[in-house]
Coordinates of all heavy atoms in Angstrom, one line a residue:
L1 N 0.8 -1.2 0.0 CA 0.0 0.0 0.0 C 0.8 1.3 0.0 O 0.4 2.3 -0.4 CB -0.9 0.0 1.2 CG -2.1 -1.0 1.2 CD1 -2.9 -1.0 2.4 CD2 -2.9 -0.9 0.0
K2 N 2.1 1.2 0.4 CA 3.0 2.3 0.4 C 3.3 2.8 -1.0 O 3.4 4.0 -1.2 CB 4.3 2.0 1.2 CG 4.1 2.0 2.7 CD 5.5 1.7 3.3 CE 5.4 1.4 4.7 NZ 6.6 1.0 5.3
Y3 N 3.4 1.8 -1.9 CA 3.7 2.1 -3.3 C 2.6 3.0 -3.9 O 1.4 2.7 -4.0 CB 3.8 0.9 -4.1 CG 4.1 1.1 -5.5 CD1 5.4 1.5 -5.9 CD2 3.2 1.1 -6.5 CE1 5.7 1.7 -7.2 CE2 3.4 1.3 -7.8 CZ 4.7 1.7 -8.2 OH 5.0 1.9 -9.5
G4 N 2.9 4.2 -4.2 CA 2.0 5.1 -4.8 C 0.9 5.7 -3.9 O -0.1 6.1 -4.4
T5 N 1.2 5.8 -2.6 CA 0.2 6.3 -1.7 C -0.2 7.8 -2.1 O -1.4 8.2 -1.8 CB 0.6 6.3 -0.3 OG1 1.9 6.9 -0.1 CG2 0.6 4.9 0.3
E6 N 0.7 8.5 -2.7 CA 0.3 9.9 -3.1 C -0.8 9.9 -4.2 O -1.6 10.8 -4.3 CB 1.5 10.6 -3.7 CG 2.6 11.0 -2.6 CD 3.4 9.8 -2.2 OE1 3.6 8.8 -3.0 OE2 4.0 9.8 -1.1
S7 N -0.9 8.8 -4.9 CA -2.0 8.6 -5.9 C -3.3 8.4 -5.3 O -4.3 8.6 -6.0 CB -1.6 7.5 -6.9 OG -0.3 7.7 -7.5
F8 N -3.4 7.9 -4.1 CA -4.6 7.5 -3.5 C -5.4 8.6 -2.9 O -6.6 8.5 -2.6 CB -4.4 6.4 -2.5 CG -3.9 5.1 -3.0 CD1 -2.7 4.5 -2.6 CD2 -4.6 4.4 -4.1 CE1 -2.3 3.3 -3.1 CE2 -4.1 3.2 -4.6 CZ -3.0 2.7 -4.1
R9 N -4.7 9.7 -2.5 CA -5.3 10.8 -1.8 C -5.4 12.0 -2.8 O -4.5 12.3 -3.5 CB -4.5 11.2 -0.6 CG -4.3 10.1 0.4 CD -5.6 9.8 1.1 NE -5.4 8.7 2.0 CZ -6.4 7.7 2.2 NH1 -7.5 7.8 1.6 NH2 -6.1 6.8 3.1
W10 N -6.6 12.6 -2.7 CA -6.8 13.8 -3.5 C -7.6 14.8 -2.8 O -8.2 14.5 -1.8 CB -7.5 13.5 -4.8 CG -8.7 12.7 -4.7 CD1 -8.9 11.4 -4.7 CD2 -10.1 13.3 -4.6 NE1 -10.2 11.1 -4.5 CE2 -11.0 12.2 -4.5 CE3 -10.5 14.6 -4.6 CZ2 -12.3 12.4 -4.3 CZ3 -11.9 14.8 -4.4 CH2 -12.8 13.7 -4.3
E11 N -7.5 16.1 -3.2 CA -8.2 17.2 -2.6 C -8.9 17.9 -3.7 O -8.5 18.0 -4.8 CB -7.3 18.1 -1.9 CG -6.6 17.6 -0.7 CD -5.7 18.6 -0.1 OE1 -5.8 19.8 -0.4 OE2 -4.8 18.2 0.7
K12 N -10.1 18.5 -3.3 CA -10.8 19.4 -4.3 C -11.4 20.5 -3.4 O -12.0 20.3 -2.4 CB -11.9 18.6 -4.9 CG -12.7 19.5 -5.8 CD -13.7 18.7 -6.7 CE -14.6 19.7 -7.4 NZ -14.4 19.9 -8.7
T13 N -11.1 21.7 -3.9 CA -11.6 22.9 -3.2 C -13.0 23.2 -3.8 O -13.1 23.3 -5.0 CB -10.7 24.0 -3.3 OG1 -9.4 23.7 -2.8 CG2 -11.2 25.3 -2.6
V14 N -14.0 23.4 -2.9 CA -15.3 23.7 -3.3 C -15.8 24.9 -2.4 O -15.7 24.8 -1.2 CB -16.3 22.5 -3.2 CG1 -17.7 22.8 -3.6 CG2 -15.8 21.3 -3.9
S15 N -16.3 25.9 -3.1 CA -16.8 27.0 -2.3 C -18.1 26.7 -1.5 O -18.8 25.7 -1.8 CB -17.1 28.2 -3.2 OG -18.3 27.9 -4.0
L16 N -18.3 27.4 -0.4 CA -19.5 27.2 0.4 C -20.8 27.4 -0.4 O -21.7 26.7 -0.2 CB -19.4 28.1 1.6 CG -18.3 27.8 2.6 CD1 -18.4 28.8 3.8 CD2 -18.4 26.4 3.1
S17 N -20.7 28.4 -1.3 CA -21.9 28.6 -2.1 C -22.2 27.4 -3.1 O -23.3 27.1 -3.3 CB -21.8 29.9 -2.9 OG -20.7 29.9 -3.7
E18 N -21.1 26.8 -3.6 CA -21.3 25.6 -4.4 C -21.9 24.5 -3.6 O -22.7 23.7 -4.1 CB -20.0 25.2 -5.1 CG -20.1 24.1 -6.1 CD -18.8 23.8 -6.8 OE1 -17.9 24.6 -6.8 OE2 -18.8 22.8 -7.5
I19 N -21.4 24.3 -2.4 CA -22.0 23.2 -1.5 C -23.5 23.5 -1.3 O -24.3 22.6 -1.4 CB -21.2 23.2 -0.2 CG1 -19.8 22.6 -0.5 CG2 -21.9 22.3 0.8 CD1 -18.9 22.7 0.7
Y20 N -23.8 24.7 -1.0 CA -25.2 25.1 -0.8 C -26.0 24.7 -2.1 O -27.1 24.1 -2.0 CB -25.4 26.6 -0.6 CG -26.8 27.1 -0.7 CD1 -27.7 26.9 0.4 CD2 -27.3 27.7 -1.8 CE1 -29.0 27.3 0.3 CE2 -28.6 28.1 -1.9 CZ -29.4 27.9 -0.9 OH -30.7 28.3 -1.0
L21 N -25.5 25.1 -3.3 CA -26.2 24.8 -4.5 C -26.3 23.3 -4.8 O -27.4 22.8 -5.2 CB -25.6 25.5 -5.7 CG -25.7 27.0 -5.7 CD1 -24.9 27.6 -6.9 CD2 -27.2 27.4 -5.9
R22 N -25.3 22.6 -4.5 CA -25.4 21.1 -4.7 C -26.4 20.4 -3.8 O -27.1 19.5 -4.2 CB -24.0 20.5 -4.5 CG -23.1 20.8 -5.7 CD -21.8 20.1 -5.6 NE -20.9 20.6 -6.6 CZ -19.8 19.9 -7.0 NH1 -19.5 18.7 -6.4 NH2 -19.0 20.3 -8.0
L23 N -26.4 20.9 -2.5 CA -27.4 20.4 -1.6 C -28.8 20.7 -2.1 O -29.7 19.8 -2.1 CB -27.3 21.0 -0.2 CG -26.2 20.4 0.7 CD1 -26.2 21.2 2.0 CD2 -26.5 18.9 1.0
K24 N -29.0 21.9 -2.6 CA -30.3 22.3 -3.1 C -30.7 21.5 -4.4 O -31.8 21.0 -4.4 CB -30.3 23.8 -3.4 CG -31.6 24.4 -3.7 CD -32.2 25.1 -2.5 CE -33.3 25.9 -2.9 NZ -34.4 25.8 -2.0
N25 N -29.8 21.4 -5.3 CA -30.1 20.8 -6.6 C -30.1 19.3 -6.5 O -31.0 18.6 -7.1 CB -29.1 21.3 -7.6 CG -29.2 22.7 -7.9 OD1 -30.2 23.3 -7.8 ND2 -28.1 23.3 -8.4
N26 N -29.2 18.7 -5.8 CA -29.1 17.2 -5.8 C -30.0 16.5 -4.7 O -30.4 15.4 -4.9 CB -27.6 16.8 -5.5 CG -26.7 17.2 -6.6 OD1 -27.1 17.6 -7.7 ND2 -25.4 17.1 -6.4
F27 N -30.2 17.2 -3.6 CA -31.0 16.6 -2.5 C -32.2 17.4 -2.1 O -32.9 17.0 -1.2 CB -30.1 16.4 -1.3 CG -28.8 15.7 -1.6 CD1 -27.6 16.3 -1.8 CD2 -28.9 14.3 -1.7 CE1 -26.4 15.6 -2.0 CE2 -27.7 13.5 -2.0 CZ -26.5 14.2 -2.2
N28 N -32.5 18.5 -2.8 CA -33.6 19.4 -2.5 C -33.6 19.8 -1.0 O -34.7 19.7 -0.3 CB -35.0 18.7 -2.9 CG -36.1 19.6 -3.0 OD1 -35.9 20.8 -3.3 ND2 -37.3 19.2 -2.7
V29 N -32.5 20.2 -0.5 CA -32.3 20.6 0.9 C -31.8 22.0 0.9 O -30.8 22.4 0.2 CB -31.3 19.6 1.6 CG1 -30.9 20.1 3.0 CG2 -31.8 18.2 1.6
D30 N -32.3 22.8 1.8 CA -31.9 24.2 2.0 C -31.4 24.4 3.5 O -32.3 24.5 4.4 CB -33.0 25.2 1.7 CG -32.6 26.6 1.8 OD1 -31.4 26.9 2.1 OD2 -33.4 27.5 1.6
V31 N -30.1 24.3 3.7 CA -29.6 24.5 5.1 C -29.3 26.0 5.3 O -28.8 26.3 6.4 CB -28.3 23.7 5.3 CG1 -28.7 22.2 5.3 CG2 -27.2 24.0 4.4
G32 N -29.5 26.9 4.3 CA -29.1 28.3 4.5 C -27.6 28.4 4.2 O -27.0 27.6 3.5
K33 N -27.0 29.5 4.8 CA -25.6 29.7 4.6 C -24.8 28.7 5.3 O -25.0 28.4 6.5 CB -25.3 31.1 5.1 CG -23.8 31.5 4.9 CD -23.5 32.9 5.5 CE -22.1 33.2 5.2 NZ -21.7 34.5 5.8
V34 N -23.9 28.0 4.5 CA -23.1 26.9 5.1 C -22.1 27.4 6.1 O -21.3 28.3 5.8 CB -22.4 26.1 4.0 CG1 -21.6 25.0 4.6 CG2 -23.5 25.5 3.0
K35 N -22.1 26.9 7.3 CA -21.2 27.4 8.4 C -20.2 26.4 8.7 O -19.1 26.7 9.2 CB -22.0 27.7 9.6 CG -23.0 28.9 9.3 CD -23.7 29.3 10.6 CE -24.6 30.5 10.3 NZ -24.3 31.6 11.2

């Protein structure tokens, strides 16, 4: 598992407004401003 461990982990930056929109569009949920 040590071989290529850098390949197994990744990061993605997503804005709070994008998280809000994804919740609204994908799950029909409105939590308001994400805190």
Side-chain angles (χ1 to χ4, degrees):
L1 292 178
K2 286 181 189 177
Y3 178 78
T5 50
E6 290 77 22
S7 303
F8 294 125
R9 301 289 177 217
W10 54 271
E11 292 181 15
K12 176 170 171 104
T13 302
V14 180
S15 70
L16 295 178
S17 60
E18 186 174 348
I19 292 171
Y20 168 81
L21 288 174
R22 287 185 186 199
L23 279 177
K24 187 96 167 140
N25 295 334
N26 295 346
F27 303 103
N28 199 29
V29 172
D30 182 2
V31 296
K33 183 178 179 182
V34 177
K35 297 183 175 239

